[in-house]
Amino acid sequence: MVWYTCTPIAFSGGGDFFSRDSGLVCKGLQSLGINCKSIMPLPVLHGDIGEDLIRIEYPKLEDSKWWRSIDATNVILYTWGASKYRRVAEAVRNSGARVFINLDSSGIVSPVTSALFYRTVLGIAIRSYGAILGIPLGMLRNLIFRFYVPFFVEPGRVVHLKSATAIGCISPSALTMWRCWARTYAPELVERMYLVPHPTTDDLMYDASIEKRDMVIAIGRWNDTEQKRPNFLAQTIEKAANLRGKTEFHIFGNPGPVLPVWYARLAMPIRNRIFIHGKVPHPVIANALLQSRVSLCSSSHESTHIVSEEALCAGASVVAPCRAELSSMLWFTSHGSGRLAVEDTPNGLAETLLLELDAWDRGERNPEEISSFWHSFVSASAVANKIRCLLEERESKT
């Protein structure tokens, strides 16, 4: 049997691609001894890993004959259930292959099935443009979406997802939201939807020989001021650092314009314990996660938070705001692996972070147990094996 993962966007096909999402699922299947390659549209890009990647003209993705020509028997699509990619899903299904569709979404996708849709759209507008412009703009967008999504988006999404043998939802709350959507638009899809998280690399697992330091890590694209909220992060870290005199704080990722200015004005005793590393190779981040006690998330919204998954596999716990738009964090903070800030403010998040660090001081966090538990759910081999089992199970039922 020949397996493929496919995304219809021409991402770079280098090491970063094969360390997450569809590229990493491909590697997970290979680790199980399954023949698998990833497929993306042309053009060939610098750094592509040729032996594991097939680049083709986009129209071939919509051609069932082409899929039959490569003997595809199982195809994992990272197409977000988007209407514009429905012909890709239909072509794979019509080729005779079994189709797994990954839904990289929190499930807040329809104004018809979730009132959270309106709140999310309004919140993004306010954070992007301020309250004076953001409130009327967000209300206008919600009015447009109320009529546009059900009549112009959902029909194509339904067609797309009906091509699936099985559908993966990336957190328990996302699964609940997507099943609610399915009951409204396509009830037969409910039984095809399952919890299948995003994968992390198999080698990211805590080793008891590594000492957990009094250290907090935050990773993100800090130039994205609306979603990642670097100013929120900065205020949280400054508050926590003032109240806890020995903890180190390490920030990774593009620092953007906010963090360097904030860092430059910090008092020296605090600045000496805060490190802005910028964008670094993944092995450097993995090493930092293995040494850290806590991974801090300040995002306003995420479909899921892969950094938190990686932190858990590295034996760290996670701290984040309690937001409906961060629903995956409800799952990630279960099993003694973190906590959520009820108050979505820098002070509230800082206080929650300090409580979590206190739990580490008291020996209430076990990095080996955290790592082992979450690795069994989100490692690439575990995710790939679950997809394999789901497709086999679904085929036996049809």
Side-chain angles (χ1 to χ4, degrees):
M1 300 177 71
V2 183
W3 287 69
Y4 296 96
T5 68
C6 173
T7 183
I9 298 176
F11 294 120
S12 172
D16 286 348
F17 173 77
F18 284 99
S19 66
R20 61 183 296 161
D21 299 339
S22 63
L24 186 52
V25 172
C26 175
K27 290 295 185 181
L29 288 165
Q30 290 176 355
S31 73
L32 300 176
I34 296 172
N35 179 22
C36 184
K37 291 184 180 295
S38 286
I39 298 171
M40 281 194 289
L42 290 167
V44 174
L45 299 176
H46 177 71
D48 279 1
I49 300 176
E51 64 269 21
D52 289 328
L53 179 62
I54 298 171
R55 293 275 193 185
I56 62 157
E57 299 88 350
Y58 184 89
K60 288 185 177 179
L61 295 178
E62 299 180 349
D63 184 353
S64 59
K65 292 180 181 178
W66 182 79
W67 287 101
R68 280 194 292 269
S69 75
I70 61 171
D71 298 321
T73 53
N74 299 275
V75 179
I76 299 169
L77 293 178
Y78 270 66
T79 47
W80 306 276
S83 299
K84 62 182 175 180
Y85 301 127
R86 65 186 182 277
R87 292 187 181 88
V88 176
E90 286 182 301
V92 179
R93 181 200 62 194
N94 291 335
S95 74
R98 296 182 292 190
V99 185
F100 178 88
I101 295 178
N102 170 276
L103 292 177
D104 182 7
S105 164
S106 65
I108 305 174
V109 295
S110 172
V112 174
T113 60
S114 175
L116 289 172
F117 183 94
Y118 297 112
R119 172 177 147 180
T120 301
V121 171
L122 182 62
I124 290 173
I126 292 172
R127 288 189 297 274
S128 298
Y129 302 103
I132 294 176
L133 291 176
I135 291 175
L137 179 59
M139 293 175 68
L140 177 61
R141 286 177 174 174
N142 274 324
L143 181 63
I144 293 171
F145 286 144
R146 177 63 182 85
F147 294 96
Y148 177 76
V149 172
F151 296 103
F152 295 96
V153 174
E154 301 300 16
R157 181 154 36 211
V158 169
V159 170
H160 186 147
L161 294 180
K162 281 186 176 180
S163 297
T165 308
I167 300 167
C169 303
I170 55 180
S171 70
S173 54
L175 177 60
T176 298
M177 295 289 285
W178 273 111
R179 283 179 171 171
C180 180
W181 173 89
R183 289 187 185 98
T184 301
Y185 288 104
E188 68 270 30
L189 294 178
V190 171
E191 65 175 14
R192 301 187 210 174
M193 293 178 169
Y194 300 88
L195 171 62
V196 182
H198 279 316
T200 61
T201 55
D202 281 344
D203 61 351
L204 188 53
M205 192 170 185
Y206 181 69
D207 184 335
S209 67
I210 300 172
E211 180 184 359
K212 282 291 185 184
R213 297 164 52 192
D214 190 355
M215 177 172 151
V216 174
I217 188 170
I219 306 167
R221 305 181 309 277
W222 306 111
N223 55 329
D224 185 344
T225 56
E226 185 279 316
Q227 181 181 9
K228 302 302 181 180
R229 302 197 294 182
N231 190 55
F232 195 105
L233 176 83
Q235 292 179 56
T236 298
I237 289 177
E238 186 172 352
K239 173 77 171 179
N242 270 309
L243 295 174
R244 191 174 167 98
K246 295 182 180 180
T247 304
E248 291 183 3
F249 300 84
H250 292 258
I251 304 171
F252 292 87
N254 186 332
V258 173
L259 293 180
V261 173
W262 161 73
Y263 183 77
R265 70 165 179 78
L266 288 173
M268 191 60 70
I270 293 179
R271 193 192 311 173
N272 287 340
R273 293 185 287 113
I274 299 174
F275 305 87
I276 299 179
H277 299 278
K279 189 174 181 180
V280 300
H282 191 265
V284 176
I285 290 177
N287 185 58
L289 286 169
L290 288 166
Q291 296 180 61
S292 298
R293 287 182 171 184
V294 178
S295 173
L296 180 63
C297 171
S298 61
S299 297
S300 61
H301 57 94
E302 300 277 357
S303 57
T304 191
H305 196 237
I306 296 177
V307 168
S308 289
E309 288 190 353
E310 293 179 330
L312 294 168
C313 286
S317 59
V318 296
V319 168
C322 184
R323 296 176 56 86
E325 301 93 329
L326 281 175
S327 58
S328 63
M329 301 305 295
L330 289 168
W331 187 33
F332 296 152
T333 54
S334 65
H335 200 72
S337 52
R339 64 186 72 210
L340 300 177
V342 175
E343 182 183 324
D344 186 26
T345 65
N347 280 346
L349 188 59
E351 290 172 3
T352 303
L353 174 61
L354 293 173
L355 288 173
E356 184 63 18
L357 289 168
D358 288 344
W360 278 91
D361 290 342
R362 295 190 297 269
E364 296 173 3
R365 296 291 181 259
N366 185 326
E368 291 177 84
E369 184 178 334
I370 291 172
S371 176
S372 177
F373 179 83
W374 288 103
H375 193 272
S376 69
F377 281 104
V378 303
S379 64
S381 57
V383 171
N385 189 54
K386 182 162 188 178
I387 293 172
R388 178 180 65 174
C389 292
L390 285 175
L391 290 180
E392 291 174 353
E393 177 185 334
R394 290 296 308 172
E395 185 179 53
S396 68
K397 291 180 178 180
T398 58

